[in-house]
Amino acid sequence: MALSSLKSLIDYNAHNAPQWEYPGVEMDEDTFASTMQEYCYSFFRIGSDSGFEAFRELSEKLLAFYPENPMFMTNIGSYHFVCKHDNKTALKYYNKVLKKHPDDYTAIKNCVLLARSEKNVKLEKKYLPMLIRTSQDESEKASAQARLSAL
């Protein structure tokens, strides 16, 4: 029921003028997309098959309206990585994000995790320098540098 309501809200926001309003919040396109990402994340955190499917459906619908927004494409990659255990497809989505947004931390971090899960040293060596460059966390940078040096 929540998914259906959110999908209707996305359609309403995209096709109506004025767009959806939320009391006390200036609802521009970025704010709306970020708000919808919070709902995507909530479905993902449920961790059930139906939660993951709702996460995928909502992310795909949002990607259709916001094709340049890396969050929703990363979401679809994460769906394939975590839910379907389809690392090849997940990596394809993450690389699409990185092609348009080379410093997207989430896509880079997920590529490192994917490489580690596959024990793919070559792939990990490719993405660790990117993680070191984009991470805001000094301990994560140091850890990634140590891992890269150990490989």
Side-chain angles (χ1 to χ4, degrees), residues 11 31 49 57 63 67 88 97 107 116-117 127 133 140:
D11 287 334
T31 305
D49 289 343
E57 283 185 43
L63 184 61
K88 183 178 178 180
V97 171
R116 283 187 188 169
S117 75
Y127 292 107
R133 186 183 76 242
E140 181 177 53

Side-chain angles (χ1 to χ4, degrees), residues 28-86:
D28 60 13
E29 287 301 307
D30 289 337
T31 305
F32 184 79
S34 294
T35 301
M36 291 298 108
Q37 175 62 9
E38 291 298 319
Y39 287 109
C40 290
Y41 180 68
S42 294
F43 284 126
F44 188 83
R45 284 199 54 197
I46 291 169
S48 67
D49 289 343
S50 60
F52 288 140
E53 286 304 316
F55 168 76
R56 181 193 55 78
E57 283 185 43
L58 193 57
S59 296
E60 286 176 349
K61 184 161 190 80
L62 287 159
L63 184 61
F65 285 104
Y66 302 100
E68 297 303 312
N69 190 316
M71 290 185 296
F72 306 121
M73 190 168 295
T74 300
N75 285 356
I76 296 168
S78 296
Y79 169 80
H80 289 284
F81 181 37
V82 174
C83 310
K84 294 297 182 185
H85 308 287
D86 181 356

